[in-house]
Amino acid sequence: MKACLLRAPADVRSNPLEYADVPQPEPGTGEVLVRVKACGVCRTDLHVVEGELPPRKRPVIPGHQVVGTVEALGKGSKRFAIGARVGIAWLHHTDGTCDYCRSGQENLCDAPSFAGYTHDGGFAEYSVAPEDFVYAIPESFSDEQAAPLLCAGIIGFRSLRLSGVHKGQRLGFYGFGAAAHVAIQVARHWGVDVYASTRGEKHQELARQLGAVWAGGATDEPPDKLDAAIIFAPAGELVPAALKVLKKGGMLVLGGIHMSTIPSFDYKLLYQERSIRSVANNTRQDGEDFLRVAAEVPIRTQTKLFPLHEANVALQELKADRINGAAVLDCTGPA
Ligand SMILES: [Zn+2]
Ligand SMILES: [Zn+2]
């Protein structure tokens, strides 16, 4: 099969992904083989490719927003029928036995594995995953539309949940990429007012189109104090900027897996019971709940499609903030 292989992390401008012929994977016990139709491109893929996340498998096929159909079943697999449309997301497997798994926090598992990082992912024509960690994809979404729901969507949803916002409240977004453009639709559905601080006119315009009551530059101060805020951009300097705008008791959620160093700031920005918390991965329950809500809203993702062999280009455009919405690879090949 065709796949994009990362042999060693490097700056995306050096085209580190090699479009290569590799053996088609075989589903092991409890796994399914998925014929990949579309795979979303996430900022975490960029962190894997450029080495901000230390390599865990070499070479590795990135990609953890995989939409496709079940092509074959491993031994003992019975959850999905051949031909069923499914999604593979970041959380590839958990041990099920650690304290976290046993207390409903499998996102914090001590021994997790991840698609497109510790295991080969979906920048390929085929991918395998344990059936228990695979999602059924609601019919109302096309493959291309569904792909960004699997990480951008699910992590944005978990970020929203952790922010604690509810109807009638004000929520700030810092950065307006793939996750934010989905999360705003859920927030609006819940009756929450969204304020978007983001660099780039196009991102601000998309935020307004999707119902933001205000959109401004990356560190522009929103006109109102906020009940909660989510930082999607991997920029630590946004933390004090966001705290400054939070109401007393407000919650600041950091939605990324990687962030540049947070500068020191005055205690008074945090005092008055403001909180900061990060988001790590998601539980399968988050995924199931989000996909149900996504079909209900219904979420409309804005996507830019690239052929599989242009994965490097997709990552370069993502890094340069040139994607409005989410980048998606068309993996239906042949190129
Ligand atoms: Zn565990
Ligand atoms: Zn992701």
Side-chain angles (χ1 to χ4, degrees):
M1 69 167 184
K2 294 290 187 192
C4 291
L5 279 187
L6 179 72
R7 296 191 188 279
D11 190 304
V12 280
R13 281 169 300 188
S14 67
N15 297 317
L17 291 175
E18 180 188 331
Y19 186 63
D21 281 296
V22 300
Q24 186 177 309
E26 283 179 22
T29 302
E31 292 184 332
V32 291
L33 173 70
V34 175
R35 187 190 177 99
V36 184
K37 300 291 178 60
C39 186
V41 180
C42 169
R43 190 163 286 276
T44 299
D45 297 312
L46 189 59
H47 295 321
V48 169
V49 168
E50 296 203 313
E52 277 110 356
L53 299 183
R56 296 277 302 273
K57 178 183 184 295
R58 289 196 206 198
V60 67
I61 301 170
H64 56 272
Q65 304 186 86
V66 186
V67 177
T69 51
V70 174
E71 179 90 359
L73 303 174
K75 200 173 157 216
S77 298
K78 52 182 184 298
R79 194 172 158 215
F80 296 101
I82 301 285
R85 200 162 67 121
V86 296
I88 301 172
W90 174 244
L91 191 67
H92 181 263
H93 192 254
T94 56
D95 59 12
T97 56
C98 74
D99 285 350
Y100 299 102
C101 283
R102 285 188 291 124
S103 61
Q105 296 177 287
E106 66 180 356
N107 60 305
L108 302 178
C109 178
D110 281 332
S113 58
F114 301 108
Y117 182 41
T118 64
H119 287 68
D120 285 336
F123 288 9
E125 290 177 323
Y126 293 89
S127 194
V128 295
E131 64 170 1
D132 288 345
F133 286 78
V134 163
Y135 299 92
I137 300 292
E139 266 174 36
S140 50
F141 298 103
S142 69
D143 298 330
E144 182 182 341
Q145 281 262 310
L149 301 177
L150 287 162
C151 182
I154 296 174
I155 295 297
F157 184 67
R158 183 168 176 89
S159 303
L160 281 176
R161 278 185 158 168
L162 296 185
S163 78
V165 282
H166 52 260
K167 195 179 166 83
Q169 288 196 318
R170 297 189 184 115
L171 174 66
F173 282 177
Y174 288 81
F176 204 84
H181 104 288
V182 174
I184 190 175
Q185 298 178 57
V186 178
R188 297 296 303 129
H189 185 67
W190 289 350
V192 170
D193 283 343
V194 173
Y195 296 68
S197 300
T198 182
R199 55 181 186 184
E201 265 303 314
K202 279 197 165 160
H203 292 160
Q204 292 166 21
E205 202 182 294
L206 180 61
R208 285 186 208 102
Q209 275 170 23
L210 292 171
V213 297
W214 174 88
T219 53
D220 287 358
E221 216 167 287
D224 300 302
K225 291 284 183 198
L226 306 174
D227 296 283
I230 303 171
I231 299 182
F232 291 108
E237 68 268 20
L238 293 174
V239 171
L243 281 174
K244 210 170 140 194
V245 188
L246 272 193
K247 286 168 68 175
K248 289 186 265 190
M251 172 66 78
L252 175 59
V253 176
L254 312 182
I257 192 169
H258 167 81
M259 185 177 245
S260 59
T261 302
I262 299 171
S264 66
F265 54 84
D266 205 284
Y267 179 56
K268 71 170 188 275
L269 288 183
L270 186 61
Y271 185 58
Q272 301 289 5
E273 304 199 340
R274 294 177 181 90
S275 315
I276 303 176
R277 80 182 290 184
S278 64
V279 175
N281 316 313
N282 63 276
T283 64
R284 281 172 278 177
Q285 192 65 50
D286 291 323
E288 301 290 350
D289 291 349
F290 169 67
L291 289 171
R292 197 176 50 247
V293 171
E296 224 171 77
V297 172
I299 298 290
R300 287 287 163 250
T301 51
Q302 179 160 329
T303 53
K304 182 168 180 183
L305 197 63
F306 297 84
L308 175 59
H309 64 92
E310 283 185 8
N312 284 308
V313 179
L315 286 166
Q316 286 157 10
E317 294 209 3
L318 176 66
K319 189 176 182 183
D321 270 340
R322 284 200 296 267
I323 308 283
N324 226 13
V328 176
L329 299 179
D330 175 355
C331 303
T332 53

